[in-house]
Amino acid sequence: MDATKKKAVTVAPDTASKRIKLSRQFSAKRSRMEALHGIHCHIPDLFGDPAPPYQRHSATSRRAAERIAPMAHTKRGEVLAFLASCGPNGATDEEMQRRMPMPANTQRPRRIELVADGFVKSSGKTRITRSGDYAVVWVAC
């Protein structure tokens, strides 16, 4: 299947109401963050693709994707809002995971989705991680 084609997903009524509730919660979080950090973050609607990607050969990956589906858009929003608050200094994946805090298996896929959708990009810089390796510094577009 072509990677650019998206699979149609039917959203059950109870899932739709959960998404509305989560959207309201995200808006409140964004407002609190803007007030706390004194910044205005224009965060676009991140409901575009409600089905998070998963490894097709892995039943556990599929179950994890199904479990996080109702929250994926808010997690993307949290990652984008965090990067926007970092400004041009940006953050590496490790820094995001440590400072947000968010587990690597949640943060990294959301950042990858934001890169694919054009909301986040590489700054062209790298920083040394705790393990001594170099990591890309990501910034909000």
Side-chain angles (χ1 to χ4, degrees):
M1 179 185 219
D2 183 3
T4 59
K5 292 183 182 175
K6 295 191 178 182
K7 192 176 185 179
V9 176
T10 304
V11 178
D14 63 322
T15 304
S17 64
K18 286 179 188 175
R19 289 177 67 188
I20 291 168
K21 181 180 175 186
L22 290 170
S23 177
R24 288 182 184 141
Q25 290 172 350
F26 174 68
S27 295
K29 281 184 183 180
R30 180 176 57 193
S31 297
R32 283 193 303 272
M33 190 191 88
E34 289 173 354
L36 179 66
H37 297 292
I39 59 169
H40 174 70
C41 298
H42 170 68
I43 300 177
D45 181 12
L46 302 174
F47 288 107
D49 184 6
Y54 61 91
Q55 298 296 319
R56 302 220 185 277
H57 65 276
S58 170
T60 55
S61 177
R62 182 183 186 117
R63 281 194 299 271
E66 289 168 353
R67 184 182 60 76
I68 196 155
M71 299 175 290
H73 66 282
T74 57
K75 296 297 181 187
R76 281 192 292 269
E78 288 176 32
V79 170
L80 183 57
F82 177 81
L83 283 174
S85 75
C86 292
N89 291 328
T92 65
D93 284 331
E94 181 180 84
E95 292 166 346
M96 285 184 262
Q97 294 154 16
R98 193 172 61 241
R99 290 170 41 203
M100 287 180 71
M102 187 180 286
N105 287 339
T106 301
Q107 176 273 327
R108 192 174 294 110
R110 304 299 75 84
R111 193 259 310 145
I112 290 169
E113 293 164 0
L114 289 166
V115 170
D117 291 341
F119 297 118
V120 170
K121 66 180 181 178
S122 168
S123 67
K125 300 175 189 172
T126 58
R127 282 202 278 269
I128 297 177
T129 63
R130 289 187 289 182
S131 66
D133 295 322
Y134 286 92
V136 172
V137 176
W138 302 99
V139 293
C141 295

